[in-house]
Amino acid sequence: MYYNEEIETMSREELHRLQSERLVRIVKYTYDNVEFYRKRMDEHHVAPSDIKSVDDISKLPFMTKQDLRDYYPYGTFAAPAESIVRFHASSGTTGKPIVAGYTQNDLDCWSEGVARCLTAYGLSHKDIIQVSYGYGLFTGGLGAHDGAHRIGAATLPTSSGNTSKQIMLMKDLGSTALCCTPSYALFLAESLENDPDTDISRDIKLKVGVFGAEPWTENMRKELESKLRIKAYDIYGLTEVSGPGVGGECECQDGTHLWEDMFYPEIIDPVSLQPVPHGNRGELVFTTLLKEGMPVIRYRTRDLTYLDYSRCKCGRTMVRMGKILGRSDDMLIVRGVNVFPSTVESVIMEFPEFNGQYFITVDRVNSTDTFDVDVELRPELYNGNMSGILKLKDALTWRMVSVLGIKPAVHIAEPGSIERSMGKAKHVMDKRKF
Ligand code: DLL
């Protein structure tokens, strides 16, 4: 099922035409209304009239998170203040948040993106969609909410946290879909398993999980699907571009369709800043083709992935993005080796003995990096069988060595001892002082 069949299945030629028309318009709009863009384009000796189609996009300068910080709070807004109807913000690890402002049209485009995703997951007005992403400045809660509303589903806006109440309402009202981060879904699943009054197959009506906001692996998908007896779908997005629903998977689950009629994607080499050949991994860059409040042009997301332009069996013609490996700024360099937390997760999840909870600590002792991985066993296996635990620890250590190229100190942690997250999980602590 499609939410907007005409757009989702339009021919690539038609899409190219639509994107080009929209790009020409947005470039002129930002040049005319935002000093930041005017200055940047002038510095790069490019004028709006140089942009005739999306084939000219590489003439335009890039934009970074730092630009958004430097021009905080209103410096990259293009619409007059009175037409902004909502703000959201994403808090980075340091400094000022990134603030985004939306006009009513922006909110309508955003909810259409989410509605396309929810429809692709098989959801409709017949569903009860429990939104356990946080409501507030974070785009997850209200973004999923507006999309659910748009398809006419009944929305259960529980927001994040208060897990026992979430479970009670999920059971009593019969939620059929759950929207939250994969790490919170794992915590909810564990809580359901540990609840003596709940039999998941009897009491829980969930059929679909709408998971995103953080990298998660195929092995984590399997774990969540089997624990919650659902089909788990990926939803992607970021505040700077709109929020959740910049793209989502379809029933084929073979990549995340990006809604290219609204968000033009590119993949560049983060060092040379040149486009990479189709299919190669690099940094994802977006240009918003319709946004009025705070458009972004060639915005460097830092997310590392690849794009697949081959046709999907579902009939959608929109490009598919591979799973996000991580953000270039989340990558750890440990003893000179590049380590992505998502790769560590994927190795841990190869072992059915672990429950998916882990924590990585990196430090520097006597000028040498230390790399510790704490990982929880499933409760039923944490039974004092020391030789079994030691064997498992060894097996995980050597598997990490072969995949990561670096040897971690693995610690088998007591079930429940690693802090659970209600939103985006924090899996890493880097204590090194650079
Ligand atoms: O996380 C928007 C969102 C909410 C997406 C709910 C999906 C569901 P930010 O807080 O601005 O916005 O964080 C954006 O989160 O650049 C990625 O690094 C990461 N991210 C988002 N979705 C995914 C995903 C929201 N499906 C940043 N897989 C992005 C991997 C994701 N990483």
Side-chain angles (χ1 to χ4, degrees), residues 133 138-139 213-215 234-239 303 324 327 424:
Y133 286 115
F138 177 51
T139 53
E214 62 187 8
D234 204 343
I235 186 161
Y236 170 81
L238 62 163
T239 315
D303 289 331
I324 304 279
R327 300 172 56 88
K424 296 189 192 236

Side-chain angles (χ1 to χ4, degrees), residues 65-367:
K65 209 179 259 292
Q66 192 55 45
D67 292 325
L68 293 176
R69 291 221 164 89
D70 292 347
Y71 285 79
Y72 171 90
Y74 286 119
T76 59
F77 279 41
E82 61 272 19
S83 59
I84 300 293
V85 296
R86 196 190 296 164
F87 295 104
H88 280 281
S90 90
S91 49
T93 38
T94 50
K96 296 274 192 198
I98 301 294
V99 171
Y102 304 75
T103 64
Q104 187 56 50
N105 276 343
D106 294 340
L107 293 185
D108 293 344
C109 289
W110 178 12
S111 64
E112 154 126 17
V114 180
R116 288 186 202 171
C117 297
L118 299 179
T119 308
Y121 308 152
L123 298 171
S124 72
H125 64 282
K126 296 188 184 138
D127 285 287
I128 300 177
I129 302 185
Q130 181 160 342
V131 181
S132 309
Y133 286 115
Y135 280 62
L137 289 175
F138 177 51
T139 53
L142 283 164
H145 182 103
D146 288 350
H149 196 68
R150 185 99 183 227
I151 62 165
T155 315
L156 178 57
T158 47
S159 193
S160 54
N162 203 345
T163 304
S164 52
K165 195 164 185 181
Q166 301 257 3
I167 291 178
M168 184 182 80
L169 292 171
M170 182 182 284
K171 282 164 66 174
D172 294 350
L173 296 177
S175 309
T176 54
L178 171 68
C179 308
C180 63
T181 58
S183 41
Y184 188 52
L186 188 62
F187 178 53
L188 262 173
E190 281 177 347
S191 308
L192 284 167
E193 279 172 350
N194 294 335
D195 180 357
D197 298 328
T198 303
D199 171 340
I200 299 186
S201 20
R202 186 194 61 203
D203 303 327
I204 300 294
K205 304 279 177 297
L206 289 180
K207 53 180 192 180
V208 164
V210 181
F211 302 142
E214 62 187 8
W216 54 304
T217 55
E218 280 306 320
N219 289 334
M220 181 62 85
R221 187 202 304 268
K222 284 190 206 126
E223 179 79 11
L224 290 171
E225 289 189 335
S226 94
K227 274 185 186 289
L228 290 168
R229 296 152 179 77
I230 55 170
K231 224 158 159 43
Y233 291 94
D234 204 343
I235 186 161
Y236 170 81
L238 62 163
T239 315
E240 301 89 312
V241 171
S242 66
V246 170
E249 286 178 318
C250 63
E251 59 273 28
C252 307
Q253 295 195 313
D254 189 15
T256 292
H257 289 282
L258 296 176
W259 307 128
E260 290 177 88
D261 55 314
M262 301 194 268
F263 315 109
Y264 186 82
E266 297 171 81
I267 300 281
I268 59 159
D269 178 320
V271 179
S272 70
L273 304 187
Q274 293 305 310
V276 301
H278 273 351
N280 283 21
R281 207 191 297 267
E283 182 180 336
L284 183 61
V285 170
F286 277 112
T287 298
T288 55
L289 296 174
L290 288 178
K291 256 179 105 187
E292 300 170 339
M294 199 193 86
V296 290
I297 307 261
R298 301 199 88 198
Y299 180 71
R300 293 184 56 186
T301 64
R302 303 272 167 199
D303 289 331
L304 300 173
T305 185
Y306 61 90
L307 297 180
D308 179 354
Y309 285 88
S310 68
R311 204 180 172 102
C312 183
K313 289 193 202 73
C314 72
R316 288 177 186 80
T317 45
M318 306 256 160
V319 69
R320 282 170 293 158
M321 173 182 87
K323 268 216 171 286
I324 304 279
L325 174 64
R327 300 172 56 88
S328 52
D329 37 9
D330 284 347
M331 187 182 78
L332 296 161
I333 304 182
V334 187
R335 291 175 224 144
V337 177
N338 298 350
V339 177
F340 281 99
S342 59
T343 317
V344 173
E345 174 181 304
S346 134
V347 174
I348 291 170
M349 298 302 293
E350 286 175 14
F351 291 77
E353 293 88 346
F354 299 121
N355 67 4
Q357 302 289 351
Y358 66 97
F359 197 82
I360 302 167
T361 312
V362 183
D363 202 352
R364 185 165 292 149
V365 179
N366 300 330
S367 314

Side-chain angles (χ1 to χ4, degrees), residues 375-428:
V375 53
E376 277 186 21
L377 266 187
R378 289 184 190 282
E380 63 276 20
L381 301 175
Y382 198 78
N383 55 13
N385 170 2
M386 277 321 285
S387 77
I389 289 180
L390 284 175
K391 263 197 203 136
L392 194 57
K393 182 170 152 166
D394 249 24
L396 179 61
T397 305
W398 290 109
R399 181 70 188 134
M400 293 260 193
V401 172
S402 87
V403 175
L404 303 174
I406 177 169
K407 188 172 172 201
V410 168
H411 311 279
I412 308 287
E414 198 178 319
S417 61
I418 295 175
E419 199 182 325
R420 304 311 197 242
S421 160
M422 303 294 148
K424 296 189 192 236
K426 190 165 168 14
H427 287 299
V428 180

